[in-house]
């Protein structure tokens, strides 16, 4: 591709374009043609009931679901056939729903574990500014932290790597309101720093405070897209979608 | 002559030393098994055959090519490590998605095949391996003579074990290994090439077995069964220490070697079974082993 073409693409094309994504766990067909885009610098959420396929969508982008078809283009490159380590190397980082903190590593080792994949990652000092608790617990085993601290560690460790797109799977799940607010402020700061974020949420009140746009998932498909400005007007619809 | 509990000090020290030597081999072999089991979740039944091949490699290098002990210490582990990489790539890697039992069957079958091949070629009688000249003689410790080579084996295996422990428990590379042992999916999703790490880890474990084999060559006879005889005890050591614990494998290896040696002094009739008796007791009281974690 010529340089001019790359330049044109990087200004007009979305950072992440998902088209006709299908995914399976063994025999069960979970995603049935998922389509959506994320533009550079955006914070976009995937909303939907339990079991709608939000986690599976993130895992498919990350290359973890063994059988997936369709197209996932990240920064102009097709990644649907790549192994998950190559996808990570291309600049996508994942914060799993179960957090994935390692018990046999202390907090510092957990924090420093993900390899650097590009320039522009946050220096560790800035990660400690976002999450001061981590600095005080550096030498505790990772899983001895509280749930909130483990979540901070799970987010903090992927900020160092220089990944430009962050996939966050329900980072507020089961956490106290103060910590939910802290994570909300963190997401806002990360957006200011130029990170692009795809956020899975069940809590749309929280989602409304941080996101630019919302996609609604149901039964393995995207069924609606709501810009954050239109969220107030779409409350009735959302209650139907989410059953809340 | 001085005595302890009515046993001459010299006999006691002599058996302690034999215990330490055996313990050195138990430790190196159970360490390799623990590293392999941790990451691959496979009980490597080929380990004894790979140890035997390490000893044969040293013997072949010396008798066919005139290449001595020191070079063998390097060449045999690298060559057998490469052989391990080949086994992992072509065979073991196909089994990870299946039940544990398949890995066990494959490595067990492979051990029989390899052992059979060597038996066909070299017969079952042992070949002596000439002690390197540097190691002729012994240190006079006052209460006993300590053969130089045996002192070297204990020290070298301690160095190998502690270095391995340090790399796994205290370095960045080790943190990848420990993390991938817990959750390979997440580690790979961070950008680490976990399949390659698994391959190299198997190669490393096999190399460690081969290194133990080279070190054993001047002490024991180099024979096709040497691994099969030893590995049964080593599996008992691994069960006692607990699968997957690196430090536990080292401590248990040396500890049980010494206990076995002492049993030879105090109650010789039990010296061949003491490790298995301990295994049964440990299994009854702590099924995960002394240092193992419940999975
Ligand atoms: N590992 C798995 N094996 C089989 N089915 C799975 C697996 N993980 C999730 N599922 C199924 O896939 C569907 C979507 O799950 P998921 O993507 O986790 O939903 P969400 O994150 O939206 O709650 C659910 O029906 C769930 O039961
Ligand atoms: Mg989910």
């Amino acid at each position: 591709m010529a340089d001019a073409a790359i330049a044109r693409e990087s200004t007009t094309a979305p950072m992440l374009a998902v088209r006709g994504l299908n995914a399976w766990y063994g025999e069960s067909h979970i995603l049935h043609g998922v389509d959506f885009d994320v533009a550079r610098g955006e914070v976009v959420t995937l909303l939907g009931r339990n079991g709608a396929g939000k986690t599976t969508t993130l895992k498919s982008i990350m290359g973890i679901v063994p059988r997936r078809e369709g197209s996932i283009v990240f920064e102009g490159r097709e990644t649907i056939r790549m192994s998950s380590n190559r996808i990570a190397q291309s600049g996508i980082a994942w914060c799993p729903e179960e957090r994935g903190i390692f018990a046999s590593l202390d907090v510092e080792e957990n924090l420093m574990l993900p390899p650097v994949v590009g320039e522009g990652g946050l220096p560790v000092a800035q990660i400690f500014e976002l999450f001061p608790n981590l600095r005080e617990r550096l030498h505790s085993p990772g899983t001895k932290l509280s749930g909130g601290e483990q979540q901070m560690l799970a987010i903090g460790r992927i900020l160092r790597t220089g990944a430009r797109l962050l996939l966050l799977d329900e980072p507020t799940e089961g956490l106290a309101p103060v910590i939910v607010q802290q994570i909300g402020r963190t997401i806002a700061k990360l957006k200011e720093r130029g990170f692009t974020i795809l956020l899975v949420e069940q809590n749309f009140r929280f989602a409304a405070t941080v996101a630019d746009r919302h996609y609604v998932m149901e039964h393995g498909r995207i069924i609606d897209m709501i810009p954050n400005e239109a969220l107030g007007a779409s409350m009735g619809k959302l209650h139907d979608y989410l059953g809340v | 002559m001085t005595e302890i509990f009515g046993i001459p000090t010299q006999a006691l020290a002599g058996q302690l030393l034999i215990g330490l030597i055996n313990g050195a081999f138990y430790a190196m072999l159970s360490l390799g098994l623990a590293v392999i089991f941790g990451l691959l979740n496979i009980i490597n039944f080929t380990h004894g055959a790979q140890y035997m091949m390490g000893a044969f490699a040293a013997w072949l290098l010396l008798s066919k090519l005139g290449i001595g002990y020191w070079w063998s210490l390097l060449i045999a582990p690298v060559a057998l490590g490469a052989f391990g990489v080949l086994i992992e790539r072509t065979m073991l890697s196909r089994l990870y998605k299946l039940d544990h039992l398949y890995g066990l069957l494959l490595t067990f079958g492979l051990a029989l095949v390899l052992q059979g091949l060597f038996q066909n070629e070299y017969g079952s009688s042992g070949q002596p391996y000439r002690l390197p000249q540097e190691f002729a003689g012994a240190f006079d410790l006052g209460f006993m003579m300590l053969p130089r080579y045996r002192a070297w084996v204990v020290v070298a295996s301690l160095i190998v074990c502690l270095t391995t422990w340090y790399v796994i428990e205290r370095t960045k590379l080790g943190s990848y290994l420990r993390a991938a042992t817990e959750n390979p999916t997440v580690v790979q999703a961070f950008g680490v090439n976990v399949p390659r790490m698994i391959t190299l880890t198997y190669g490393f474990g096999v190399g460690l077995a081969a290194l133990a084999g080279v070190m054993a060559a001047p002490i024991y006879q180099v024979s096709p069964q040497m691994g099969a005889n030893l590995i049964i005890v080593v599996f008992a050591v691994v069960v006692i220490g607990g699968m997957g614990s690196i430090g536990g494998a080292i401590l248990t290896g040396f500890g049980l070697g010494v206990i076995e040696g002492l049993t030879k002094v105090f109650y010789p009739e039990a010296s061949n079974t003491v490790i298995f008796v301990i295994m049964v007791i440990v299994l009854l009281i702590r099924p995960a082993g002394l240092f193992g974690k419940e999975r």
Side-chain angles (χ1 to χ4, degrees):
Chain A
M1 213 190 304
D3 285 354
I6 293 172
R8 191 164 58 245
E9 179 158 77
S10 62
T11 50
T12 61
M15 182 183 217
L16 179 76
V18 177
R19 292 289 175 274
L21 177 63
N22 281 262
W24 290 260
Y25 289 116
E27 291 297 302
S28 21
H29 191 172
I30 307 292
L31 300 184
H32 304 265
V34 172
D35 297 301
F36 67 95
D37 291 329
V38 180
R40 190 176 300 278
E42 260 191 320
V43 176
V44 170
T45 68
L46 288 178
L47 302 173
R49 298 184 201 209
N50 252 329
K54 306 179 297 293
T55 297
T56 307
T57 303
L58 294 196
K59 286 187 177 175
S60 301
I61 296 170
M62 211 58 240
I64 290 164
V65 177
R67 183 160 168 224
R68 52 192 195 277
E69 286 172 11
S71 161
I72 300 173
V73 174
F74 174 65
E75 295 186 333
R77 253 201 301 176
E78 180 59 67
T79 66
I80 193 83
R81 302 247 158 276
M82 286 189 193
S83 58
S84 63
N85 51 303
R86 285 193 51 217
I87 293 173
Q89 292 286 346
S90 76
I92 307 182
W94 175 53
C95 175
E97 194 170 4
E98 326 73 59
R99 297 178 186 137
I101 300 299
F102 298 98
S104 55
L105 274 60
D106 67 18
V107 170
E108 184 171 24
E109 286 175 321
N110 267 288
L111 185 63
M112 303 311 285
L113 188 75
V116 169
V117 300
E119 289 171 10
L122 294 194
V124 175
Q126 286 189 26
I127 296 173
F128 288 147
E129 269 170 43
L130 290 172
F131 304 121
N133 301 38
L134 296 183
R135 183 174 10 216
E136 273 132 50
R137 306 292 306 272
L138 272 186
H139 300 295
S140 320
T143 45
K144 286 281 184 308
L145 299 183
S146 71
E149 288 167 335
Q150 287 190 33
Q151 190 64 62
M152 296 172 194
L153 181 53
I155 298 176
R157 69 182 170 186
I158 59 173
L159 303 179
R160 277 182 35 251
T161 65
R164 299 167 295 282
L165 172 63
L166 309 181
L167 311 179
L168 309 182
D169 199 342
E170 302 209 29
T172 65
E173 194 182 8
L175 300 182
V178 210
I179 298 176
V180 173
Q181 282 168 19
Q182 188 182 357
I183 289 174
R185 284 195 301 273
T186 306
I187 291 176
K189 279 186 202 155
L190 294 176
K191 184 176 157 70
E192 271 169 38
R193 298 275 317 220
F195 283 98
T196 307
I197 296 174
L198 178 57
L199 176 71
V200 165
E201 264 304 328
Q202 300 240 20
N203 176 352
F204 71 85
R205 284 172 227 290
F206 172 75
T209 63
V210 294
D212 300 305
R213 290 186 301 128
H214 310 274
Y215 285 102
V216 183
M217 278 198 93
E218 200 172 277
H219 303 310
R221 291 184 183 80
I222 300 283
I223 55 163
D224 204 352
M225 192 280 283
I226 307 173
N228 202 42
E229 312 82 71
L231 205 58
S234 313
M235 273 305 162
K237 228 170 29 169
L238 256 182
H239 279 284
D240 281 351
Y241 290 146
L242 303 178
V244 285
Chain B
M1 189 190 276
T2 44
E3 295 190 350
I4 298 175
F5 301 128
I7 309 280
T9 319
Q10 211 160 356
L12 191 65
Q15 287 302 337
L16 259 180
L17 176 64
I18 292 179
L20 268 181
I21 301 272
N22 288 335
F25 290 108
Y26 297 162
M28 276 194 288
L29 291 171
S30 59
L31 176 64
L33 283 174
V35 172
I36 290 173
F37 179 78
L39 198 56
L40 284 79
N41 243 322
I42 278 180
I43 300 174
N44 183 34
F45 263 92
T46 322
H47 219 65
Q50 285 151 343
Y51 159 85
M52 173 272 288
M53 287 167 76
F56 261 100
W59 178 75
L60 287 170
L61 284 170
L62 186 63
S63 57
K64 307 279 185 240
L65 303 173
I67 295 175
Y69 179 81
W70 295 105
W71 279 109
S72 293
L73 275 184
L74 182 71
I75 296 171
V78 170
L80 278 143
F83 175 64
V85 164
L86 195 71
I87 292 176
E88 198 280 339
R89 277 294 80 205
T90 55
M91 296 182 234
L92 290 177
S93 59
R94 298 163 191 270
L95 302 180
Y96 298 139
K97 292 192 192 86
L98 306 176
D99 194 274
H100 283 11
L101 214 51
Y102 289 89
L104 199 146
L105 283 174
L106 177 81
T107 55
F108 186 62
L110 212 53
L112 295 180
V113 170
L114 292 170
Q115 203 178 311
L117 286 175
F118 276 79
Q119 193 138 342
N120 254 355
E121 191 64 31
Y122 301 102
S124 42
S125 66
Q127 320 280 349
Y129 184 90
R130 191 161 26 84
L131 194 66
Q133 256 170 9
E134 303 85 304
F135 292 117
F139 301 110
D140 188 352
L141 300 182
F143 59 94
M144 69 174 290
M145 299 299 281
L146 174 59
R148 279 171 191 248
Y149 187 71
R150 305 203 164 206
W152 154 253
V153 166
V154 173
V155 172
S157 93
L158 261 179
I159 293 173
V160 169
C161 288
L162 294 179
T163 308
T164 307
W165 176 87
Y166 181 84
V167 169
I168 293 176
E169 299 292 342
R170 292 285 180 273
T171 66
K172 181 80 194 219
L173 178 67
S175 72
Y176 287 140
L177 262 168
R178 276 175 286 142
T181 297
E182 271 186 61
N183 191 339
T185 308
V186 171
V187 175
Q188 189 167 0
F190 284 157
V192 178
N193 191 338
V194 172
R196 190 174 64 196
M197 195 160 93
I198 289 176
T199 305
L200 293 177
T201 299
Y202 189 73
F204 173 80
V206 175
L208 212 53
L211 181 67
V214 178
M215 283 165 61
I219 300 186
Y220 309 111
Q221 298 268 308
V222 177
S223 81
Q225 299 86 21
M226 65 188 288
N229 299 339
L230 183 60
I231 207 68
I232 299 181
V233 183
V234 172
F235 275 117
V237 171
V238 169
V239 170
I240 294 168
M243 264 300 186
S245 160
I246 304 302
I250 300 170
L251 276 176
T252 321
F254 277 100
L256 287 173
V258 168
I259 289 177
E260 198 183 34
L262 291 179
T263 311
K264 269 191 198 124
V265 182
F266 292 104
Y267 192 56
E269 296 84 345
S271 63
N272 287 327
T273 47
V274 61
I275 289 187
F276 298 99
V277 172
I278 294 175
M279 178 180 89
V280 170
I281 296 171
V282 167
L283 277 180
L284 287 174
I285 299 172
R286 275 184 69 105
L290 295 179
F291 302 90
K293 292 179 203 90
E294 305 281 348
R295 294 209 166 204

